[in-house]
Amino acid sequence: MNIPSLLILLSCFLAMGCTERLGASGFSDEEEKILSELPKVPVGLNSGYAIERRPSEKVDCKLSYQVSAPSLVADEWIFYAAHAPSLPSQEVSHVKSNPHGQLAFSSSVLQRKLLLIRVPGEGGAQHAVDLRVFTGAQLFSRKLIQGKSQEEAPTLSEPEKRVALRPTEMFDYPAPPFVVWLKERGYVRAKAEGEIDFARRVFQSLVGSFSYEYSEQMERQATRVCRLGKSDCGGLSVLFVAIMRSQGIPARCLSGRWAQSVEPGESLHGIAYYQSHVKAEFFAQGVGWVPVDLSLAVSYDRSSERLKFFGDDPGDFLTLHVDPTLSFDTHHFGVQKIDWLQGAAFWVKGGGKLEGLKTEENWEVR
């Protein structure tokens, strides 16, 4: 088709306009009310637990993303890629791109780091862009142990805690059907039950009752996943995080890629696979962030306890951003949002035709 102006977004989902009415704190009035009503978890319920954290490997990762549109007359390309953060699981030494990108931030209370790459159309002759994003990081293994850690247990500030408890369109735990489901499944924390004991109980129950399913177009809201009883790594992680947040336990999704290169021709359920994955972690007072991987447990753990992927992270994964939904200032098309930015999202201003549009990506780790 012929169009005078183009908005193109390549990712797992179609971008939508993002309008949020926020108060001075960055949270809406409704969110403030929900946060104020969450149950409070007493301190001292995780006695005897610790996180053992050790360096695993240093990695240099390269994301390659090529897009070409021979019938397109481009005025400017706008690319966004995630800027990997430093977390308990990783210390990031550098993030840079070619063409050169500048640091930007998502427009939400999370203020996640992004790389903004603007490529001029060079008089409409720029029909293709070859993008590279380079990330260097020290990865860490983390294991939940009984005993004392050599490191002092981290704490969360009140703003950090509130962000990790926030309800969203994806973490829709205040929805009445979800509240009913929690009670029916017994996913309500007992007064004397610490974060770790509660999370372990929920994790074991979910592993035993949910299944893995993946397709390119999936709805991953917690309410939908709990109703279907199946999802992929993103949906299962969202469900676990939503359950934790509903009980006043800070939790978050970790969206990224495995720290290994793409294998030529590799696929997942018939769809090209580029080492993308999502896992989760929850915060236990006096212990720290505890890693969990529900989808791997559902798919591969056949042990009697089903705890192989609870509190045990070998340090072979690079987190690109925390939590699913990111918002962008596209500079030409207003604020847009996207879930799971594990590759690159782009918009292009110009004219011409979309026929022949092609994209390719690759992920190399050394």
Side-chain angles (χ1 to χ4, degrees):
M1 61 181 173
N2 291 297
I3 45 179
S5 181
L6 298 175
L7 166 58
I8 301 173
L9 168 62
L10 293 197
S11 71
C12 295
F13 303 96
L14 180 68
M16 299 178 291
C18 177
T19 57
E20 242 181 336
R21 189 179 294 275
L22 302 177
S25 65
F27 295 90
S28 68
D29 291 342
E30 183 180 359
E31 289 169 346
E32 290 283 6
K33 183 177 184 298
I34 293 169
L35 289 172
S36 69
E37 295 174 349
L38 286 176
K40 310 300 181 186
V41 184
V43 298
L45 296 179
N46 301 304
S47 178
Y49 291 109
I51 289 290
E52 186 177 70
R53 178 175 179 262
R54 295 179 178 176
S56 57
E57 56 181 316
K58 284 187 176 181
V59 294
D60 285 303
C61 308
K62 180 172 73 171
L63 169 67
S64 304
Y65 197 85
Q66 299 88 33
V67 56
S68 62
S71 301
L72 181 66
V73 181
D75 295 330
E76 184 181 36
W77 300 81
I78 302 289
F79 284 86
Y80 273 104
H83 185 298
S86 289
L87 300 167
S89 59
Q90 61 193 42
E91 290 180 2
V92 176
S93 58
H94 66 267
V95 178
K96 54 188 178 181
S97 67
N98 185 17
H100 177 71
Q102 64 187 70
L103 182 64
F105 294 89
S106 64
S107 51
S108 74
V109 294
L110 282 173
Q111 286 287 289
R112 286 159 290 188
K113 288 183 178 180
L114 301 166
L115 273 182
L116 166 62
I117 303 102
R118 304 183 71 164
V119 182
E122 298 180 0
Q126 188 78 10
H127 306 304
V129 177
D130 190 354
L131 175 67
R132 302 284 190 271
V133 178
F134 306 91
T135 304
Q138 170 68 64
L139 304 182
F140 293 87
S141 66
R142 293 179 294 160
K143 188 174 181 64
L144 181 66
I145 62 171
Q146 289 188 318
K148 292 184 177 181
S149 173
Q150 295 181 352
E151 298 182 8
E152 184 178 353
T155 59
L156 287 185
S157 67
E158 190 60 27
E160 290 172 326
K161 182 178 179 181
R162 286 160 56 83
V163 164
L165 290 172
R166 182 192 183 199
T168 68
E169 291 182 16
M170 197 77 75
F171 305 125
D172 54 350
Y173 62 81
F178 194 77
V179 174
V180 171
W181 180 80
L182 289 174
K183 293 178 179 178
E184 291 176 344
R185 295 293 296 256
Y187 296 159
V188 178
R189 189 189 64 83
K191 288 184 178 180
E193 196 173 25
E195 296 98 324
I196 291 174
D197 292 339
F198 173 73
R200 182 196 293 111
R201 174 168 68 84
V202 169
F203 186 87
Q204 288 177 305
S205 175
L206 293 173
V207 173
S209 57
F210 274 68
S211 59
Y212 182 91
E213 181 180 81
Y214 172 73
S215 65
E216 284 190 296
Q217 300 294 330
M218 297 187 72
E219 294 183 26
R220 297 174 173 86
Q221 294 94 336
T223 49
R224 180 170 177 79
V225 176
C226 77
R227 184 172 69 251
L228 294 177
K230 58 186 177 180
S231 191
D232 66 351
C233 59
L236 292 173
S237 296
V238 164
L239 178 64
F240 180 84
V241 168
I243 296 171
M244 295 299 107
R245 291 188 181 188
S246 76
Q247 301 304 300
I249 301 172
R252 59 193 183 186
C253 289
L254 304 178
S255 175
R257 300 194 187 217
W258 294 111
Q260 63 183 57
S261 298
V262 167
E263 296 290 338
E266 188 173 6
S267 64
L268 179 65
H269 296 270
I271 302 169
Y273 180 62
Y274 298 102
Q275 301 296 344
S276 298
H277 188 57
V278 180
K279 55 176 68 176
E281 59 186 8
F282 67 95
F283 191 84
Q285 296 174 93
V287 179
W289 288 101
V290 180
V292 295
D293 196 325
L294 185 56
S295 70
L296 288 190
V298 166
S299 300
Y300 301 111
D301 190 357
R302 299 294 177 260
S303 65
S304 58
E305 291 192 326
R306 312 298 288 269
L307 290 173
K308 183 178 179 181
F309 298 98
F310 180 89
D312 194 350
D313 175 8
D316 56 355
F317 177 80
L318 179 72
T319 298
L320 294 172
H321 65 83
V322 171
D323 283 351
T325 308
L326 301 99
S327 300
F328 311 86
D329 179 1
T330 63
H331 297 274
H332 299 296
F333 303 97
V335 176
Q336 304 289 327
K337 67 178 180 180
I338 183 178
D339 297 325
W340 320 112
L341 186 63
Q342 294 152 307
F346 75 86
W347 292 259
V348 56
K349 182 177 182 293
K353 300 179 181 179
L354 283 175
E355 284 84 347
L357 175 69
K358 292 182 180 180
T359 63
E360 296 181 14
E361 69 176 283
N362 195 25
W363 176 252
E364 299 172 73
V365 181
R366 60 181 180 85

